[in-house]
């Protein structure tokens, strides 16, 4: 049964901004440091860049799984916090950390066993030097899976407490360790790919240790008091009930994006380069709305736990307004900086023309539809309506973004522009379905089960 006793939950505008701003900064820092990271790794050579890109693309699938499960656990914890049941919130937080550690160790073990298949078959017919680099990077970075999983769980718990400032500083620490380690090991010791992999492992380990240590400190809204190895079946069941649909959704979404990349590769070098540059540039545009989605999980889950659906709706709408304002401002800035960005990339006139079209399309339609496509469903997930968001996302992704994208790009001759047009159609469909769901009442009955 879900909670029926209604508790008032109040977040002032200042509270919402206090949660949101560090998350925006954190996302911006991660994206910027990763960009610098890539530039440093490029000094090792094209084979190294290719190897790291291949392994990174494969590993991103597991990162989405860890983030989805962490988010599911945070929703459970947030609803307990909304009920003012801090002991249960702490217990569910501890269960989440234990569960994430166990799942990540299992995935790591299976992944190591599958290494010959991944490098030999999944990556395709790659050059021997690329395969050798990929093997080295794979061996080292895969060791970081448990740390990555635990960190994501801990960061999600801090966010659901409304303390995004702590995760911002821990994230900054880990990214500085990674970037500094790359600079020292690649340029100072000439360690090549290993010099790029070791700092990744060390930084993720440091992040996991620090985030767990901070969760155990007294005086917080949520505290992990004891490290129990016993499982609470109901808590784990709730985590899975929220986490598995999101994990399936994110995994299939990731696979669909990979398939579309292979489709874009058929359109020629200019299209591939334009797609890559435009994806990098527009990722900065969606950062604020991504952050609002994380805030949505923190705020709405606590309102739902308190049985106060009026507040859940109120804050959901308010956060959507903030997301739209930030997307509009970010779009204007990116469009004004686009000529400078294109000069930095120094691409061909054909590629530049594609980039201008794609980035402009993204700014206009992303501002209109991205928040309702990706931020709003976070409110539904926070209320426990994860199966609906999974169904909508998977169906629209594979029928519209993938199916229509291939149709427009390959068979109607629109190329990369057709693929991006299909993406916008996907956003429109998602927006209609998620807005309709949010305006209804079915999502209000999906809270944690006792």
């Amino acid at each position: 049964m879900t909670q029926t006793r209604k508790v008032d939950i109040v977040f002032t505008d200042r509270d919402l901004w206090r949660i949101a701003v560090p998350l925006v900064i954190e996302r911006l820092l991660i994206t910027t440091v990763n960009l610098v990271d890539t530039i440093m790794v490029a000094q090792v050579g094209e084979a190294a860049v290719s190897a790291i890109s291949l392994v990174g693309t494969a590993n991103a699938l597991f990162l989405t799984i860890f983030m989805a499960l962490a988010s599911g656990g945070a929703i459970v914890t947030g609803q307990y916090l909304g009920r003012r049941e801090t002991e249960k919130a702490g217990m569910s937080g501890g269960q989440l950390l234990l569960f994430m550690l166990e799942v990540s160790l299992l995935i790591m073990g299976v992944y190591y066993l599958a290494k010959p298949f991944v490098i030999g078959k999944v990556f395709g017919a790659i050059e021997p030097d690329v395969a050798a680099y990929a093997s080295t990077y794979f061996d080292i970075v895969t060791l970081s899976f448990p740390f990555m999983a635990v960190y994501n769980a801990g960061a999600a718990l801090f966010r659901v407490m409304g303390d995004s400032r702590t995760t911002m500083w821990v994230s900054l620490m880990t990214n500085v360790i990674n970037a500094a380690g790359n600079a020292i090991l690649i340029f100072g010791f000439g360690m090549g790919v290993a010099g790029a992999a070791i700092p990744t492992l060390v930084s993720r380990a440091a992040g996991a240790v620090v985030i767990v240590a901070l969760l155990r400190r007294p005086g917080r809204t949520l505290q992990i008091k004891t490290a129990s190895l016993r499982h609470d079946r109901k808590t784990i069941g709730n985590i899975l009930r929220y986490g598995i649909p999101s994990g399936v959704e994110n995994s299939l979404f990731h696979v669909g994006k990979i398939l579309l990349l292979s489709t874009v590769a058929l359109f020629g070098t200019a299209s591939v380069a334009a797609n890559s540059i435009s994806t990098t540039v527009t990722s900065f545009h969606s950062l604020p709305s991504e952050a609002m989605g994380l805030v949505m999980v923190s705020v709405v889950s606590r309102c739902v736990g308190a049985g106060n659906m009026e507040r859940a709706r109120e804050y959901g709408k308010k956060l959507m307004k903030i997301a739209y304002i930030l997307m509009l401002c970010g779009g204007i800035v990116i469009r004004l900086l686009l000529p400078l960005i294109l000069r930095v990339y120094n691409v061909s006139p054909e590629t530049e023309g594609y980039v201008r079209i794609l980035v402009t399309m993204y700014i206009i339609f992303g501002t209109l539809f991205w928040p309702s496509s990706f931020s709003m469903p976070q409110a539904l997930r926070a209320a426990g309506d994860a199966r609906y968001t999974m169904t909508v996302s998977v169906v629209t992704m594979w029928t519209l973004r993938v199916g229509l994208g291939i149709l427009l790009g390959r068979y109607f001759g629109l190329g990369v522009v057709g693929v991006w047009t299909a993406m916008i159609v996907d956003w429109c469909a998602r927006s209609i379905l998620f807005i309709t769901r949010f305006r209804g009442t079915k999502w209000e009955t999906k809270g944690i089960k006792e």
Side-chain angles (χ1 to χ4, degrees):
M1 296 293 293
T2 55
Q3 173 83 349
T4 56
R5 181 173 58 90
K6 184 175 177 180
V7 178
D8 195 22
I9 297 286
V10 178
F11 290 93
T12 64
D13 289 348
R14 184 176 181 180
D15 292 332
L16 297 178
W17 281 105
R18 193 180 70 246
I19 301 172
V21 171
L23 283 173
V24 174
I25 295 173
E26 177 185 346
R27 285 284 187 254
L28 183 62
L29 286 171
I30 292 173
T31 304
T32 304
V33 172
N34 286 344
L35 192 60
V36 174
D37 206 29
T38 302
I39 294 172
M40 286 192 289
V41 171
Q43 307 307 310
V44 180
E46 290 185 2
V49 173
S50 298
I52 292 174
S53 176
L54 287 169
V55 176
T57 301
N59 288 357
L61 176 62
F62 300 108
L63 176 59
T64 62
I65 294 173
F66 295 149
M67 292 179 67
L69 291 174
S71 179
I75 290 170
V76 175
T77 302
Q79 291 191 23
Y80 278 130
L81 287 175
R83 297 182 180 192
R84 305 290 197 269
E85 297 178 5
T86 54
E87 288 294 325
K88 286 188 176 181
M91 181 273 294
S92 67
Q95 288 288 298
L96 175 62
L97 292 173
L98 174 63
F99 178 70
M100 293 293 287
L101 177 61
E102 293 173 337
V103 168
S104 60
L105 287 171
L106 177 62
I107 290 176
M108 182 182 71
V110 173
Y111 199 43
Y112 269 123
L113 292 175
K115 175 186 170 182
F117 174 77
V118 173
I119 295 179
K121 301 296 182 181
V122 175
F123 292 168
I126 56 178
E127 297 295 327
D129 56 344
V130 175
Y133 281 141
S135 178
T136 299
Y137 194 76
F138 184 104
D139 288 341
I140 298 172
V141 171
T142 301
L143 284 173
S144 71
F145 278 16
F147 301 116
M148 183 168 59
V150 170
Y151 171 78
N152 273 284
L157 291 175
F158 268 104
R159 286 193 293 267
V160 86
M161 284 188 277
D163 184 3
S164 56
R165 184 175 296 181
T166 296
T167 62
M168 178 189 72
W169 286 113
V170 177
S171 177
L172 176 62
M173 177 199 75
T174 59
N175 281 279
V176 168
I177 290 174
N178 188 35
N182 281 348
I184 294 170
L185 297 184
I186 292 174
F187 300 125
F189 291 88
M191 294 179 65
V193 168
I198 293 173
T200 299
L201 172 61
V202 172
S203 64
R204 288 175 177 175
V209 170
V210 170
I211 207 81
V212 172
L214 291 174
L215 282 170
R216 290 179 57 81
R217 291 179 63 180
R220 297 192 180 279
T221 306
L222 177 139
Q223 182 188 358
I224 310 298
K225 295 181 179 180
T226 58
S228 174
L229 297 179
R230 297 182 59 184
H231 298 89
D232 183 87
R233 292 174 60 184
K234 290 182 180 179
T235 301
I236 297 297
N238 280 318
I239 292 173
L240 292 174
R241 190 162 67 91
Y242 295 162
I244 286 181
S246 296
V248 171
E249 172 188 337
N250 292 345
S251 300
L252 292 177
F253 195 86
H254 184 73
V255 172
K257 290 178 69 174
I258 293 174
L259 179 59
L260 285 175
L261 285 175
S262 66
T263 300
V264 171
L266 300 173
F267 305 143
T269 303
S271 293
V272 173
N275 185 77
S276 176
I277 294 169
S278 300
T279 299
T280 300
V281 172
T282 55
S283 66
F284 286 92
H285 185 220
S286 58
L287 283 176
S289 194
E290 289 178 11
M292 288 305 107
L294 295 175
V295 179
M296 201 89 73
V297 171
S298 303
V299 173
V300 173
S301 65
R302 293 178 70 169
C303 293
V304 171
N308 198 328
M309 302 311 298
E310 293 87 353
R311 289 291 193 186
R313 286 182 182 277
E314 174 190 343
Y315 296 132
K317 292 176 182 178
K318 188 171 291 188
L319 289 168
M320 286 297 295
K321 290 179 182 178
I322 296 174
Y324 275 112
I325 292 171
L326 293 177
M327 288 284 284
L328 177 61
C329 295
I332 293 172
V333 171
I334 290 173
R335 190 62 186 86
L336 291 174
L337 292 177
L338 188 57
L340 176 62
I341 294 170
L342 288 170
R343 280 202 295 271
V344 171
Y345 276 102
N346 191 28
V347 293
S348 68
E350 183 183 5
T351 300
E352 180 176 325
Y354 279 136
V355 171
R356 289 184 183 277
I357 293 172
L358 299 180
V359 171
T360 302
M361 287 171 59
Y362 194 102
I363 289 173
I364 294 173
F365 294 101
T367 301
L368 291 173
F369 298 115
W370 207 98
S372 52
S373 297
F374 295 96
S375 299
M376 178 168 285
Q378 293 286 38
L380 301 178
R381 294 186 188 100
D385 201 11
R387 288 187 181 180
Y388 180 82
T389 60
M390 176 192 70
T391 302
V392 169
S393 298
V394 171
V395 171
T396 60
M397 173 69 181
W398 284 90
T399 58
L400 297 177
R401 186 176 296 204
V402 176
L404 184 61
I406 293 174
L407 184 66
L408 294 178
R410 295 182 61 179
Y411 299 102
F412 281 77
L414 296 179
V416 67
V417 175
V419 172
W420 282 57
T421 299
M423 177 179 69
I424 292 169
V425 174
D426 173 33
W427 293 346
C428 294
R430 288 169 59 97
S431 294
I432 293 170
L433 293 169
F434 287 138
I435 290 173
T436 302
R437 186 72 166 187
F438 186 77
R439 287 180 173 176
T441 58
K442 288 185 178 180
W443 63 281
E444 296 181 354
T445 61
K446 307 292 184 177
I448 55 176
K449 307 298 181 182
E450 293 293 351

